Amino acid sequence: MITPGAKLQVLPTQPALLKKEWILEIELNGKMKFEHLMDVIYHQFGICHRVLSANVEYCSGRSFGSVQLYINVSAEDFRQLEHYLYKNKLLSTAVEYTCRRYS
């Protein structure tokens, strides 16, 4: 209960994390299944993504090929994802996506 004359404490606001749009291309080399990779990106990292293109072939239950994803993430989340891909020996290339907006 707030009593009259009570002094309220103002908490400092944390600045909103800036998100950037990226196009991420991942080379699948048979080390991880395509479906498992998409599941990890969404559930473990909480990154919503759109599959722009996928050229995936399966051989003996392994995934080979490449996939391009559109993601919109903060710099810290992107670094964590890159580290995960590196740790699992998946080659990846990222390009910052910039779109002209006309008024």
Side-chain angles (χ1 to χ4, degrees):
M1 174 182 225
I2 299 175
T3 59
K7 200 173 201 178
L8 296 176
Q9 179 183 7
V10 178
L11 298 175
T13 58
Q14 185 179 21
L17 296 174
L18 290 175
K19 290 187 172 186
K20 289 187 178 181
E21 297 173 324
W22 296 91
I23 294 177
L24 177 66
E25 184 171 357
I26 303 170
E27 295 291 327
L28 301 170
N29 56 8
K31 304 247 183 228
M32 184 179 294
K33 287 187 177 182
F34 172 70
E35 296 82 7
H36 178 71
L37 177 62
M38 296 298 107
D39 188 58
V40 166
I41 291 172
Y42 182 71
H43 286 101
Q44 182 176 337
F45 292 101
I47 297 174
C48 294
H49 57 275
R50 285 187 228 158
V51 177
L52 299 177
S53 71
N55 181 16
V56 181
E57 294 184 22
Y58 298 94
C59 182
S60 302
R62 296 173 180 234
S63 301
F64 296 92
S66 65
V67 61
Q68 287 185 345
L69 303 176
Y70 167 83
I71 56 176
N72 187 5
V73 294
S74 66
E76 181 59 32
D77 290 339
F78 187 71
R79 275 193 295 266
Q80 289 178 0
L81 178 58
E82 278 187 317
H83 178 71
Y84 176 81
L85 295 172
Y86 176 77
K87 186 175 83 175
N88 287 287
K89 299 179 181 167
L90 293 171
L91 183 63
S92 66
T93 305
V95 176
E96 186 176 351
Y97 177 75
T98 55
C99 181
R100 282 193 176 168
R101 302 195 196 298
Y102 298 100
S103 53

